[in-house]
Amino acid sequence: MSINAALIEWSFSVVERPANQLSKYFYAHLFHHNPGVRHMFPEQMDEQQDRLFAALTAAAMNTADPEALVAYLRPLGFDHRTFDTRPEHYPAVGASLIAALKVFAGDAWTQEVEEAWVAAYGLISQVMIAAAEEVPESTPRWWDAEVVHHELRTDDIAVLTVRPHLPYPFEAGQHAALTVPEVPQVWRPYSIANAPRIDGTLEFHVRRIERGRLSTALVDRVRSGGSVRLGPATGSMTLPLDSGHGLLCVAGGTGWAPVKAIIKAAGALPRPGEVRLILGARSERDVYDLDGLERLAKTYDWLDVTAALPPEGGEPEDADAELLRQVGEYARNRPSRQVYVSGPSGMVRAVEKQLGALGLGPDHIRRDAYIHQHGTDEPTSPAEWFLSKRDIPWIHSR
């Protein structure tokens, strides 16, 4: 069955305005007809409400580019193993998706529209199921880990060091989904702030997000001796083997975490080349990992560190302009550099725009715009949510 991407996009525009009510209907339908899946979701659904539904519609509306869609979906199938998602769950979710769309589309729902959505969801589930089945049975669905160190760096930022009970494969710059017993079934992705270590430990930087149950638990309730559960490492913000020509790293807030890992990984290369780190901070308080930053600067003579702070007497927003000025000045003189950008989504978009104006396109830029600890600007509608996160390598609700 062919997929009519234009019809899918048009029909979604009909239901976009009442999207919050639509997603509530979707979950009510799913849980009523499939009570056995309720345990896979958080007890409190307020943070959850839009995410799975929004992600499903995001994938469906990208069916005009099947190659990109498959590349987008394959990691999701692997990631869904974390939640014990099985092939028999997919038809249930699809049925509830179609039921919700049908109710809220009203007279706009036709046989042709239904066939388009059924075909799109069929492709989504087919790709994700196939990806999960390719994973060796020996690969864990998740990794339990002990919190060996928990340190408050500010009143709302904690640095956690955890030790998985089993070997945990990852590359510097990737991230892992986390959950804790204090808020079961609430998963969020956090960047791993280190390159692989001999002792197998992982470092995470977590900022408490307003009304964020998991971030609040990780900052305020989890302590040394506690436990976390990790999903598989994912993400493409990794260090290429041919990175000896130099790097530009731009970080803001806890977006420093993956950049720190990238710099450590560069230190293991025979000839890493020049690395410029531009650290954006609206106040000195935002430089919460100063000791770690100074250790890197003293260890690597090829690392050049500058901070984009507001001028004395200036406004915090002045730091944003200073960051873009430094990025532009450096990139203009070294156009061949690979660029890593991580931080609040607004900062990442501004840096990308600045680099694009200088002729640096996606092939030169690796970014990490959404890892949950990096920002608080969580859109409210499903349409806004999936449009802002359509480049993220998973769609499962977190």
Side-chain angles (χ1 to χ4, degrees):
M1 182 183 296
S2 62
I3 301 175
N4 190 329
L7 192 57
I8 288 174
E9 186 169 355
W10 171 80
S11 60
F12 186 77
S13 69
V14 175
V15 300
E16 184 175 359
R17 185 174 297 276
N20 289 333
Q21 291 79 12
L22 192 153
S23 62
K24 291 178 181 179
Y25 184 97
F26 164 76
Y27 283 110
H29 187 279
L30 178 65
F31 297 154
H32 175 75
H33 292 279
N34 306 276
V37 307
R38 182 63 182 87
H39 74 282
M40 300 170 66
F41 294 83
E43 180 178 351
Q44 298 182 44
M45 293 287 291
D46 52 336
E47 288 185 32
Q48 167 69 31
Q49 195 68 55
D50 293 339
R51 289 181 177 139
L52 175 57
F53 173 80
L56 289 171
T57 54
M61 291 179 66
N62 277 280
T63 52
D65 188 352
E67 184 177 344
L69 181 63
V70 170
Y72 172 75
L73 289 172
R74 283 179 58 82
L76 309 185
F78 176 72
D79 185 59
H80 273 59
R81 298 173 71 252
T82 303
F83 310 95
D84 201 25
T85 305
R86 302 184 184 278
E88 58 267 26
H89 293 138
Y90 284 88
V93 171
S96 294
L97 173 65
I98 299 300
L101 290 167
K102 185 175 183 178
V103 166
F104 284 83
D107 294 339
W109 190 261
T110 65
Q111 183 65 31
E112 290 77 14
V113 170
E114 181 166 334
E115 289 176 357
W117 279 95
V118 169
Y121 183 77
L123 174 61
I124 293 170
S125 57
Q126 178 183 352
V127 173
M128 294 179 64
I129 291 171
E133 290 177 345
E134 291 174 8
V135 179
E137 286 293 329
S138 58
T139 302
R141 292 180 178 272
W142 58 73
W143 287 255
D144 288 319
E146 178 188 1
V147 179
V148 296
H149 189 66
H150 182 286
E151 180 184 358
L152 284 174
R153 295 289 176 84
T154 70
D155 60 355
D156 64 347
I157 296 178
V159 173
L160 291 78
T161 302
V162 309
R163 181 181 291 113
H165 298 166
L166 296 172
Y168 185 83
F170 74 99
E171 296 181 59
Q174 290 190 305
H175 44 263
L178 268 65
T179 189
V180 294
E182 287 81 356
V183 281
Q185 293 303 101
V186 177
W187 292 81
R188 297 288 183 271
Y190 288 94
S191 293
I192 303 169
N194 60 280
R197 296 168 172 168
I198 294 177
D199 66 1
T201 58
L202 310 173
E203 181 180 312
F204 295 97
H205 299 181
V206 182
R207 183 189 296 274
R208 186 195 309 111
I209 302 298
E210 185 178 0
R211 297 187 302 276
R213 291 196 299 277
L214 181 60
S215 64
T216 298
L218 287 169
V219 173
D220 296 337
R221 299 169 62 186
V222 172
R223 289 293 179 263
S224 300
S227 64
V228 301
R229 177 166 286 180
L230 310 170
T234 188
S236 59
M237 189 178 159
T238 54
L239 193 66
L241 296 177
D242 61 344
S243 57
H245 299 295
L247 305 173
L248 169 61
C249 298
V250 184
T254 49
W256 160 238
V259 169
K260 181 180 182 181
I262 289 294
I263 292 173
K264 289 290 291 184
L269 296 175
R271 302 178 65 182
E274 178 191 81
V275 177
R276 166 66 69 87
L277 167 63
I278 302 176
L279 191 67
R282 292 188 168 188
S283 69
E284 292 186 5
R285 176 182 175 278
D286 289 338
V287 188
Y288 64 89
D289 193 32
L290 184 59
D291 289 345
L293 184 63
E294 290 179 339
R295 282 195 298 271
L296 291 177
K298 291 177 180 178
T299 301
Y300 303 126
D301 57 7
W302 40 260
L303 176 63
D304 182 15
V305 181
T306 62
L309 289 163
E312 185 174 353
E315 297 297 324
E317 291 75 12
D318 294 336
D320 303 342
E322 174 63 15
L323 176 73
L324 294 178
R325 186 194 68 79
Q326 291 190 28
V327 168
E329 180 180 322
Y330 185 85
R332 191 176 293 110
N333 296 323
R334 297 169 179 82
S336 63
R337 293 294 190 264
Q338 182 78 35
V339 182
Y340 289 81
V341 188
S342 179
S345 56
M347 184 208 84
V348 172
R349 288 192 295 267
V351 170
E352 281 188 307
K353 183 177 180 180
Q354 175 89 330
L355 294 172
L358 296 172
L360 289 173
D363 292 343
H364 285 88
I365 304 171
R366 300 198 177 199
R367 67 193 186 98
D368 191 1
Y370 170 60
I371 305 308
H372 188 265
Q373 74 272 29
H374 296 174
T376 59
D377 52 342
E378 192 74 18
T380 56
S381 78
E384 288 178 305
W385 190 91
F386 79 68
L387 287 173
S388 65
K389 304 186 171 47
R390 62 197 305 168
D391 59 323
I392 304 307
W394 60 74
I395 57 173
H396 192 283
S397 58
R398 296 296 187 190

